[in-house]
Amino acid sequence: MDALDVLKAKYLDEIAAAADEASLEEIRLAALGKKGEISLKMRELGQMTPEERQTTGAALNRLKDEIDAALRARKTALADAALDARLATEWLDVTLPGRPRPRGTIHPVSQVMEEVTAIFADMGFAVAEGPQVESDWYNFDALNIAPEHPARQEHDTFFMHRDAEDPRPPHVLRTHTSPVQIRAMQKQGAPIRVIAPGRVYRMDMDQTHAPMFHQVEGLAIGKDISMANLKWVLEEFCRAFFEVENVELRFRASHFPFTEPSAEVDIRCSWEGGQLKIGEGDSWMEILGSGMVHPKVLESAGVDPTEWQGFAFGMGIDRLAMLKYGIPDLRAFFESDLRWLRHYGFAALDMPTVFGGLSR
Ligand code: DAH
C-alpha cells in the first residue's frame, strides 16, 4: 500500500465512525481544509518532476474527490438517522381508542344550582350572595324574628364562640338563605330581583336532613308585585326545572315571620313502585315556603314599605336534586363516596341552559 492508500483508508475509517456533523466537519478540515493533510500534499506537487506531478496529482485529486464524496454520504446518512429517531419517538398509534372523559363529575347539588340559576336568570333574576357565618341580626332580627320568637328554637342554630363577658349576641352559621334578602336590598335598594343559592346549617341529621344543606332564596320587589306574580314565577320555574309541561302547584296558607301573607307550596305528584312522577297523580309534596315580604323586613333593609312591595320564597336545593334525579338518601350527598359521585354526577363540560337543555 502506498502512502496515499494509507491516507485514504485512514480518512474513510474516520468518516465511517463519525457520530455527528461536527466530527465530520473536523475530519473535512483535517483532510481537505487549507492546512489539511491532502491540501499540503497538493502543495508539494510544485517540487516534483513533471512526470511525478502528473501521476501523483491525478491520484491526489481522486483521493480528494473520494473523501469529499464519503463525507457527503455520511452526512446524509446521519441526517436520515436523526429523522428516523425523531419519527420513532413521535410515533402515534391512530388505532388506539380515544382518551376517556375526565373522571371527575359535577355534584348533583352543583348541577341543580346551575339549573336553578339558569331558569331564574331567564326570568330576570340576578344572583346575590351573603356570608355563611352571619350576624344574629341578619339571620333573625332583620327578618322579623325577635329574640323571644319561637322560630329561633325551631332553627336548631349553630352558634359561634363569644367570650362570656362579651354582651353582644354570638354570630351564627346562617340557618337559611333569607338574610341575603336583607343584604341585597341594603346594597341595591328597590326595585330588585335576585336569587341567592348557598349553604345553610342546622343541627339536624337523618335520612332527609343533614347539618349542612343548600337553599335558594328568591326576592322580587317592585311597585305592584303581587302573589299572582309569585304564583306565575314558581309555576314557570317548576315547569322548566322538572321538565314537564303540566305542573300543578297548591298554595297552602302558612306562617313565616318574614312574610305576610305566607304560603307553603306543594307540587302534584305520584309515587308508583317507588318512582316519583311530577305533574300527575293524587299526592302532593311540599317544595318551598313563600309569601309577600313583611313590611318590617323591608324597613329593616332600608326599603320604604309604603312605596314598595314584593314576594320572597325559599327552597331546599338538595331536596330538589333528590326529587328530580331520584336520589333516596340525603346523607350520601356529603359522604364523598366516589361510586356515588360517578353514578349521580354530571359531565363536567355540559353547562345547563334554558335553551340548550338543563339536564341532558
Ligand atoms: N327561610 C325559610 C326556611 O329556611 C324558607 C322561606 C320561607 C324563605 C318563606 C322565604 C319565604 O323567603 O318567604 O325555612
Side-chain angles (χ1 to χ4, degrees):
M1 232 194 332
D2 71 12
L4 290 192
D5 285 334
V6 174
L7 263 189
K8 175 176 163 185
K10 175 179 120 181
Y11 282 116
L12 291 188
D13 280 355
E14 282 183 15
I15 290 168
D20 50 39
E21 259 190 58
S23 351
L24 279 180
E25 180 61 8
E26 269 175 38
I27 298 167
R28 192 187 67 79
L29 287 174
L32 312 176
K34 259 191 190 155
K35 291 185 181 154
E37 213 167 354
I38 294 171
S39 311
L40 291 179
K41 286 224 178 305
M42 293 279 214
R43 267 186 231 165
E44 288 168 11
L45 289 174
Q47 289 128 37
M48 293 180 183
T49 63
E51 296 78 38
E52 274 179 329
R53 202 182 298 154
Q54 250 188 0
T55 49
T56 315
L60 273 175
N61 268 327
R62 238 180 292 123
L63 177 59
K64 197 178 141 195
D65 288 347
E66 277 173 327
I67 291 178
D68 197 48
L71 281 168
R72 282 174 204 280
R74 181 71 188 144
K75 193 170 166 182
T76 313
L78 281 176
D80 283 354
L83 184 62
D84 284 348
R86 221 181 94 196
L87 287 178
T89 58
E90 290 176 4
W91 181 80
L92 182 73
D93 184 353
V94 294
T95 67
L96 280 175
R99 295 227 172 104
R101 274 175 166 277
R103 300 246 278 166
T105 59
I106 300 294
H107 195 284
V109 168
S110 307
Q111 170 76 16
V112 166
M113 277 201 193
E114 292 295 340
E115 293 179 19
V116 169
T117 304
I119 296 167
F120 281 107
D122 204 46
M123 294 193 267
F125 286 74
V127 171
E129 286 180 319
Q132 294 176 39
V133 175
E134 189 54 284
S135 79
D136 180 76
W137 186 81
Y138 277 105
N139 196 78
F140 295 119
D141 300 76
L143 291 161
N144 195 31
I145 310 175
E148 62 287 352
H149 197 290
R152 288 215 181 198
Q153 275 67 57
E154 285 161 26
H155 275 217
D156 301 316
T157 313
F158 285 108
F159 292 95
M160 306 300 287
H161 175 75
R162 245 310 175 234
D163 285 336
E165 58 276 15
D166 194 328
R168 294 170 303 168
H171 279 51
V172 301
L173 291 180
R174 69 177 179 197
T175 58
H176 49 179
T177 43
S178 301
V180 187
Q181 288 185 29
I182 307 295
R183 291 183 175 275
M185 283 191 279
Q186 282 180 332
K187 208 157 151 202
Q188 188 185 320
I192 186 171
R193 241 185 294 175
V194 289
I195 58 162
R199 294 186 161 181
V200 301
Y201 302 84
R202 289 183 201 182
M203 265 185 277
D204 209 349
M205 180 78 163
D206 60 31
Q207 193 176 343
T208 54
H209 295 92
M212 184 280 295
F213 57 105
H214 302 81
Q215 286 188 336
V216 58
E217 195 77 11
L219 175 72
I221 303 293
K223 291 278 180 190
D224 51 12
I225 292 182
S226 70
M227 282 295 262
N229 301 123
L230 170 68
K231 188 158 185 272
W232 181 85
V233 163
L234 292 178
E235 275 171 1
E236 202 57 23
F237 166 74
C238 289
R239 219 187 319 277
F241 179 76
F242 291 108
E243 299 174 67
V244 286
E245 218 18 72
N246 299 314
V247 289
E248 206 183 322
L249 297 184
R250 183 171 76 175
F251 284 66
R252 235 178 333 100
S254 180
H255 176 263
F256 299 103
F258 29 88
T259 43
E260 181 58 38
S262 305
E264 280 176 306
V265 177
D266 305 334
I267 191 166
R268 187 186 281 284
C269 63
S270 74
W271 288 99
E272 265 165 37
Q275 262 259 306
L276 173 76
K277 286 219 179 85
I278 300 286
E280 56 182 69
D282 297 323
S283 303
W284 293 95
M285 195 168 39
E286 185 197 320
I287 53 165
L288 60 92
S290 65
M292 295 299 289
V293 178
H294 197 291
K296 284 194 178 164
V297 173
L298 294 175
E299 234 163 48
S300 53
V303 169
D304 182 355
T306 63
E307 210 183 323
W308 303 99
Q309 64 178 38
F311 64 76
F313 60 85
M315 45 189 167
I317 290 180
D318 319 81
R319 211 169 132 73
L320 287 178
M322 291 171 81
L323 292 176
K324 180 164 178 183
Y325 296 113
I327 308 172
D329 190 332
L330 180 70
R331 287 168 297 194
F333 274 65
F334 311 119
E335 279 169 359
S336 302
D337 182 333
L338 267 183
R339 290 162 305 174
W340 187 92
L341 288 167
R342 290 205 182 112
H343 182 77
Y344 287 111
F346 290 81
L349 301 174
D350 296 340
M351 274 304 240
T353 60
V354 171
F355 47 91
L358 290 171
S359 58
R360 279 163 308 154

